[in-house]
Amino acid sequence: MANNNAFIDKLRAIVLENYANEQFGVSDLVEQFGMSRSQLHRKLKSATGQSISQFIREFRLDQALELLRTEDITASEVAYKVGFNSPTYFNTRFNEYFGYPPGEAQLQMELEKSASNAKLSSDTGKQKSGKNRHIPIWLTVVTFVVVALFLYKYFNMAKGEVLVPSEEKEKTIAVLPLKNWSGDVEMEYISDGITDAIISKLAEIQDIDRVIPFTSMVRYKDTNKDLKEIANELNVTYVLEGNFKLSGEQVQSNLKLIEAGTLEQVWNLEYVGAWKSDEIFAMQAEVAENVANSMSVDIANNEISELQYQLTTNEEAYRVYLKAEYQFDKLSKFGLDNAVGLYEESIALDSTFVEPYIGLGSTYIVSGAVWGLMPQQEAWRRAKPLYEQAYVLDSLRTGHNLNEIKAQLLGGIFYYELDIRETERRLKEELTNTEFVYFGGLFDYTRKTGRLDKAMKQVEGDIVLNPADGLEYMQKAFLYYMKGNTNAALE
């Protein structure tokens, strides 16, 4: 017990120093505490029943309650003071934690005082006349009921007993491609683009165990399979489905989150808005946040900023970018040729828009390495400066894409520059960071440098994340063959 107390006290001390910083999150606490993320998570879960992100968030909420009770400031001001950069998200979490909205903090405090005074009155009121005695008795009964309910909920939630069910559902989800209800097949690129964007935002939330990538969901675009069958194939607990319609400049969408085992609808959204970049990105963030909440997922405070990330303020640049992505995803000569011009057009519309630079670089790589539309070295000569430009632009903004860009550059150094020493140096450098940069060739790199066990571990991890990707099983078979286990390879 003493060890647990010291452990919790140390965690509280670190959070106390940093809770007002909205950027402070799980990775920062892990780094400052000096323990691996998985070890810290297990120890904290055992001691308090809380996840790391839940511990940080509830500490912030406790500080918020104190501020609301002692200072004359608004709930929004308190939200920012305790490190929440979204007052709406703060209000939601505060209400869930304490059982009442922030605006009622003063009232609840008065009720507690009334309960204390009422008890005192009931003890001394026995000496007074019957008529005067009825009022404090009535007040005592009502107040004790209210306060008892409040305290019961407060202390149970503080201990993690309410928020951690005895049998937690696995937090895994697949997002089916949104159906295009625009009446125009040419609008397919928008419904696919919005689907991919929602998947990307969900994938940024660390407490979600697994989000099936868009590339694996495309096969279900026109499927006749039912939700249970799809969920079984992908091994997920939840499925998000819906439709998307663009009519003129008005956007409409209907979304439903389904628990696959029971086919119960646990959340839905009917959205109507304008085709404006700020509204479109706000809708994507709202969907991801609400879906996560419905799955009982803890959203770390710094992840709220990631969800609200806005790619561009130019809606036409975004529209053209979605067209480019749609063409790229065809992975055909025709599609890649079209993608080049569309990415370039998107960049021309907004030269600070990071994603088209990455997309154009990737188009050149696939054109050279897969289709042979240009020599491989020429493909890298064109792609590398695009990634480097994207890195500079992203560094000046939020750094949202830096890991992906570093991964692309790392892959290029390995595959095209054949610089094994530099690849090894960069990988070792990344391994010292909390967030490890994964590049698509990591399996290939470890395999080609003779580290077959490490390559196998990587492939097995990829299969867990994406169990419906046949390529991963082929790679695992190839590794078994290289290790001399032909039977396992054939199986």
Side-chain angles (χ1 to χ4, degrees):
M1 180 64 72
N3 287 340
N4 272 349
N5 289 340
F7 166 68
I8 298 300
D9 287 345
K10 183 178 178 181
L11 283 177
R12 287 184 179 278
I14 295 172
V15 179
L16 182 61
E17 290 182 4
N18 297 280
Y19 75 88
N21 176 10
E22 65 182 39
Q23 299 301 320
F24 181 80
V26 174
S27 298
D28 303 288
L29 181 56
V30 168
E31 183 179 356
Q32 291 189 36
F33 192 85
M35 184 182 285
S36 74
R37 182 189 177 103
S38 58
Q39 287 177 315
L40 183 58
H41 174 79
R42 284 195 298 271
K43 189 168 183 178
L44 182 60
K45 200 78 171 177
S46 174
T48 68
Q50 297 168 297
S51 66
I52 305 173
S53 60
Q54 184 184 346
F55 180 84
I56 297 171
R57 185 179 65 247
E58 292 182 3
F59 187 95
R60 284 185 160 114
L61 291 171
D62 287 333
Q63 298 302 313
L65 179 65
E66 183 64 23
L67 288 173
L68 287 165
R69 289 181 163 188
T70 58
E71 297 187 18
D72 185 21
I73 52 178
T74 66
S76 293
E77 289 172 323
V78 170
Y80 293 120
K81 275 181 174 288
V82 299
F84 285 85
N85 59 9
S86 168
T88 302
Y89 182 66
F90 168 71
N91 289 342
T92 300
R93 288 306 198 181
F94 189 98
N95 200 356
E96 289 175 352
Y97 185 44
F98 292 113
Y100 56 86
E104 292 184 12
Q106 289 284 345
L107 173 62
Q108 294 293 333
M109 184 172 65
E110 291 303 319
L111 283 173
E112 291 178 55
K113 288 180 180 178
S114 296
S116 178
N117 292 337
K119 187 176 188 304
L120 180 62
S121 296
S122 66
D123 289 340
T124 60
K126 295 173 183 178
Q127 302 172 5
K128 298 182 180 180
S129 66
K131 183 177 180 181
N132 291 332
R133 190 166 61 242
H134 288 298
I135 295 175
I137 290 174
W138 171 83
L139 179 60
T140 299
V141 172
V142 173
T143 305
F144 274 144
V145 169
V146 173
V147 174
L149 287 172
F150 159 67
L151 292 175
Y152 175 80
K153 186 165 188 177
Y154 175 83
F155 285 114
N156 275 338
M157 292 185 81
K159 294 174 184 175
E161 293 171 5
V162 172
L163 294 179
V164 185
S166 58
E167 293 185 12
E168 291 186 349
K169 294 183 177 66
E170 190 179 18
K171 299 167 186 176
T172 53
I173 184 171
V175 182
L176 288 174
L178 299 183
K179 291 179 170 53
N180 171 25
W181 281 13
S182 301
D184 181 359
V185 70
E186 294 298 320
M187 292 294 178
E188 205 75 21
Y189 72 92
I190 294 181
S191 55
D192 280 6
I194 299 298
T195 305
D196 193 16
I198 292 171
I199 290 173
S200 297
K201 289 189 179 296
L202 288 170
E204 290 164 359
I205 303 173
Q206 293 184 10
D207 196 42
I208 297 181
D209 298 318
R210 180 159 41 88
V211 182
I212 304 299
F214 178 72
T215 50
S216 295
M217 295 308 301
V218 173
R219 72 188 72 179
Y220 298 104
K221 193 166 184 176
D222 299 310
T223 185
N224 292 321
K225 295 178 179 179
D226 60 36
L227 284 181
K228 278 194 174 182
E229 188 175 358
I230 294 171
N232 286 336
E233 287 182 4
L234 299 172
N235 191 25
V236 294
T237 306
Y238 297 94
V239 177
L240 182 67
E241 64 171 0
N243 55 69
F244 187 89
K245 179 180 180 181
L246 181 61
S247 179
E249 294 302 313
Q250 188 180 57
V251 173
Q252 296 180 32
S253 185
N254 293 281
L255 298 168
K256 292 186 294 184
L257 180 66
I258 308 295
E259 186 183 334
T262 61
L263 296 182
E264 177 186 354
Q265 179 178 307
V266 295
W267 173 82
N268 74 290
L269 171 71
E270 294 183 7
Y271 173 84
V272 178
W275 179 264
K276 294 181 179 178
S277 58
D278 55 344
E279 292 193 25
I280 291 299
F281 297 132
M283 183 269 278
Q284 294 168 4
E286 180 185 352
V287 170
E289 186 175 327
N290 280 280
V291 166
N293 286 334
S294 300
M295 294 167 61
S296 298
V297 165
D298 290 328
I299 307 176
N301 195 58
N302 60 320
E303 290 171 344
I304 294 293
S305 299
E306 292 295 310
L307 295 182
Q308 295 173 345
Y309 171 72
Q310 188 167 332
L311 277 67
T312 175
T313 57
N314 187 318
E315 52 261 27
E316 185 58 27
Y318 183 57
R319 189 197 292 260
V320 174
Y321 167 72
L322 291 181
K323 287 183 179 179
E325 291 282 281
Y326 183 71
Q327 291 296 325
F328 175 84
D329 287 339
K330 293 180 179 179
L331 294 178
S332 65
K333 179 182 184 303
F334 179 77
L336 294 170
D337 284 344
N338 285 339
V340 169
L342 289 166
Y343 282 127
E344 289 175 340
E345 183 183 347
S346 183
I347 291 170
L349 288 165
D350 181 0
S351 60
T352 65
F353 188 1
V354 176
E355 280 73 11
Y357 289 94
I358 301 172
L360 183 55
S362 299
T363 303
Y364 285 135
I365 293 298
V366 174
S367 296
V370 179
W371 270 98
L373 304 179
M374 62 182 70
Q376 291 187 22
Q377 292 302 318
E378 173 66 14
W380 179 237
R381 186 187 67 79
R382 294 189 186 188
K384 186 176 182 180
L386 290 165
Y387 292 137
E388 291 173 336
Q389 178 67 12
Y391 190 91
V392 171
L393 290 171
D394 207 47
S395 298
L396 295 173
R397 297 182 68 190
T398 63
H400 182 83
N401 298 286
L402 289 183
N403 277 344
E404 179 185 355
I405 298 166
K406 285 194 286 187
Q408 295 287 2
L409 288 168
L410 189 60
I413 290 169
F414 170 51
Y415 282 110
Y416 299 101
E417 297 178 12
L418 304 177
D419 192 338
I420 305 301
R421 180 171 296 177
E422 178 63 12
T423 304
E424 192 72 20
R425 186 192 70 78
R426 292 199 183 197
L427 275 175
K428 285 181 178 178
E429 183 180 285
E430 291 302 333
L431 283 170
T432 64
N433 298 335
T434 306
E435 294 292 335
F436 170 64
V437 171
Y438 167 78
F439 74 99
L442 183 60
F443 150 78
D444 207 23
Y445 175 74
T446 50
R447 179 176 63 84
K448 287 178 176 175
T449 52
R451 289 168 281 192
L452 301 185
D453 289 338
K454 190 168 185 177
M456 180 68 82
K457 186 176 180 181
Q458 181 66 49
V459 171
E460 288 173 343
D462 290 345
I463 289 174
V464 170
L465 290 172
N466 196 0
D469 188 353
L471 179 62
E472 304 294 349
Y473 296 95
M474 183 199 76
Q475 291 173 339
K476 187 173 182 179
F478 191 41
L479 279 169
Y480 272 132
Y481 180 76
M482 293 183 72
K483 289 163 72 72
N485 193 340
T486 307
N487 290 335
L490 289 170
E491 183 182 352

